[in-house]
Amino acid sequence: MSIAKKEYKRITTKTLVDMKKNGENISMLTAYDYTMAKIVDGSGIDVILVGDSASNVMAGHETTLPITLDQMIYHASSVIRAVERCLVVVDIPFGSYQSDPKEALRSAIRIMKESGAHAVKVEGGKEIKESIKRILNAGIPVMGHLGLTPQSIYKFGTYTVRAKEEEEANQLREDAKMLEKAGCFAIVIEKIPAKLAEEIAKSVTIPIIGIGAGGGVDGQVLVTHDMIGMTHEFNPRFLRRYLDLYSDMTNAFSQYIKDVKSGEFPNEKEQY
Ligand code: KIV
C-alpha cells in the first residue's frame, strides 16, 4: 500500500512521475459525481479517474461502449466542481477517438474545455499512436490504457486475463514503450500477469498504474463502487472490498420503509 512520503498541495502529471522516481505508490479511484468526488478527493487520493465504467456503474449498461462524449463531459464537470487537490483524468469514450486523429483531438479538447478536467485517458497502443500524438501536440496530457481494454471487449470476447501468450506480451511491452516515447504521463495496465506488469513498470520511466496487475507496479486503481461494496455481483480476484455498502444500504432503506409504514418516522423531534 501507498505510504505518502511527501505532502503535495496539488497533484499534477509531474507529481505522479516524481512519485514513481521516489518510489511512492500512486492511489487512484473512480468517481462520476460531485458528492463521491468530494469524499474521494478529501480522503487524499492522488488521482480521480472519471472512467467510462460510468456506463456500467451509473447507467447500468453491460459494457462501456454506449456512453457518449456528452455524458462523459457531464460526469467530469460534476467531479471537477468537487475536487481541490487530486488530478482528474477523464476517459475519452468509445467512438470518439478511434476513427482519426482529428476527431480524437476534437474530443479531447471538448473534455478539457467543457469539464475543466486535467488530462484524458485512451485505450490502446500502436493502432491509436497518431491520435495520441495529436492530442499531446495540443498540450493535453494523455494517460494510456493497455492490457484488458474494455472498449475492445467484443474483439476479445471475454474479460479474462490478457497477455498470457508471448506474442501478446511482446506487443504490450512495445506499446508501453511507444506510449512513453510519445509523451504519455502514465499508463493504466489492466488484468495481466503480475510478473509481466512488474517488468513493464521497471522498463519505463512513467508510472504504471495497475488494476488486476499485481503489486509490482507504481500504483493501483479500482472502481470506487466496487471497492466500497455498493456493487456486489462483480467479484474478480483482484478486487478488495473495503466496505459492504450493498448490505448496509439495503438495511438502512428497509429500516426507513418500516419506520414510514409504522408511523415511527418522523418522531416528535423530527418535526416543526
Ligand atoms: O473506466 C474505468 O473505470 C477504467 C478503470 C477500470 C481503469 O478504465
Side-chain angles (χ1 to χ4, degrees):
M1 284 302 285
S2 164
I3 298 165
K5 294 194 174 165
K6 205 173 145 187
E7 279 295 312
Y8 298 101
K9 267 206 169 129
R10 185 100 224 189
I11 307 291
T12 66
T13 54
K14 187 181 171 300
T15 320
L16 301 187
V17 178
D18 288 346
M19 282 178 166
K20 171 162 178 146
K21 267 193 216 140
N22 299 336
E24 178 173 343
N25 288 343
I26 295 162
S27 59
M28 173 160 141
L29 283 170
T30 59
Y32 322 106
D33 68 347
Y34 176 86
T35 306
M36 186 69 87
K38 192 127 193 117
I39 301 171
V40 175
D41 182 54
S43 306
I45 202 79
D46 297 318
V47 186
I48 283 184
L49 172 66
V50 183
D52 58 1
S53 50
S55 179
N56 314 108
V57 176
M58 304 304 283
H61 293 296
E62 202 181 324
T63 71
T64 58
L65 276 67
I67 199 159
T68 66
L69 187 57
D70 284 338
Q71 288 165 342
M72 288 304 297
I73 290 169
Y74 167 77
H75 287 300
S77 37
S78 308
V79 166
I80 280 289
R81 281 192 285 275
V83 162
E84 289 176 16
R85 177 182 171 274
C86 72
L87 185 82
V88 178
V89 182
V90 181
D91 266 330
I92 310 187
F94 175 72
S96 310
Y97 63 98
Q98 287 90 349
S99 59
D100 71 76
K102 279 190 189 164
E103 188 205 25
L105 177 57
R106 271 195 299 274
S107 300
I109 288 177
R110 278 202 61 204
I111 289 174
M112 301 296 284
K113 241 186 185 329
E114 296 177 37
S115 75
H118 309 136
V120 296
K121 174 162 86 59
V122 286
E123 294 184 6
K126 66 174 187 323
E127 65 285 0
I128 56 159
K129 181 175 168 186
E130 293 314 313
S131 294
I132 290 172
K133 281 187 169 171
R134 192 99 185 196
I135 299 171
L136 285 163
N137 281 343
I140 300 172
V142 177
M143 176 180 270
H145 186 154
L146 299 172
L148 177 66
T149 46
Q151 291 179 10
S152 305
I153 190 57
Y154 290 118
K155 184 176 90 180
F156 299 144
T158 149
Y159 284 100
T160 52
V161 181
R162 304 302 313 172
K164 279 165 98 178
E165 308 298 330
E166 207 43 30
E167 195 183 336
E168 196 179 336
N170 281 337
Q171 189 57 57
L172 201 80
R173 290 180 180 102
E174 275 175 32
D175 283 341
K177 283 273 181 202
M178 182 281 288
L179 292 177
E180 176 188 37
K181 196 159 165 237
C184 289
F185 68 91
I187 307 170
V188 164
I189 290 197
E190 182 164 353
K191 224 171 175 185
I192 67 163
K195 220 168 134 225
L196 175 63
E198 181 170 2
E199 179 205 315
I200 291 173
K202 284 187 177 142
S203 75
V204 292
T205 54
I206 57 172
I208 299 293
I209 301 177
I211 173 162
V217 290
D218 308 302
Q220 300 293 327
V221 55
L222 285 175
V223 169
T224 298
H225 289 67
D226 295 334
M227 66 82 82
I228 60 176
M230 272 178 94
T231 55
H232 71 144
E233 284 147 353
F234 179 63
N235 284 303
R237 188 200 295 190
F238 66 75
L239 175 61
R240 184 180 294 181
R241 290 200 200 281
Y242 287 80
L243 289 171
D244 180 10
L245 279 193
Y246 189 91
S247 303
D248 291 348
M249 289 170 83
T250 304
N251 290 339
F253 298 146
S254 306
Q255 188 60 49
Y256 169 76
I257 295 163
K258 237 169 90 188
D259 292 349
V260 170
K261 299 277 181 200
S262 68
E264 206 280 319
F265 175 79
N267 64 23
E268 289 281 303
K269 287 187 196 150
E270 290 163 331
Q271 52 191 296
Y272 301 99

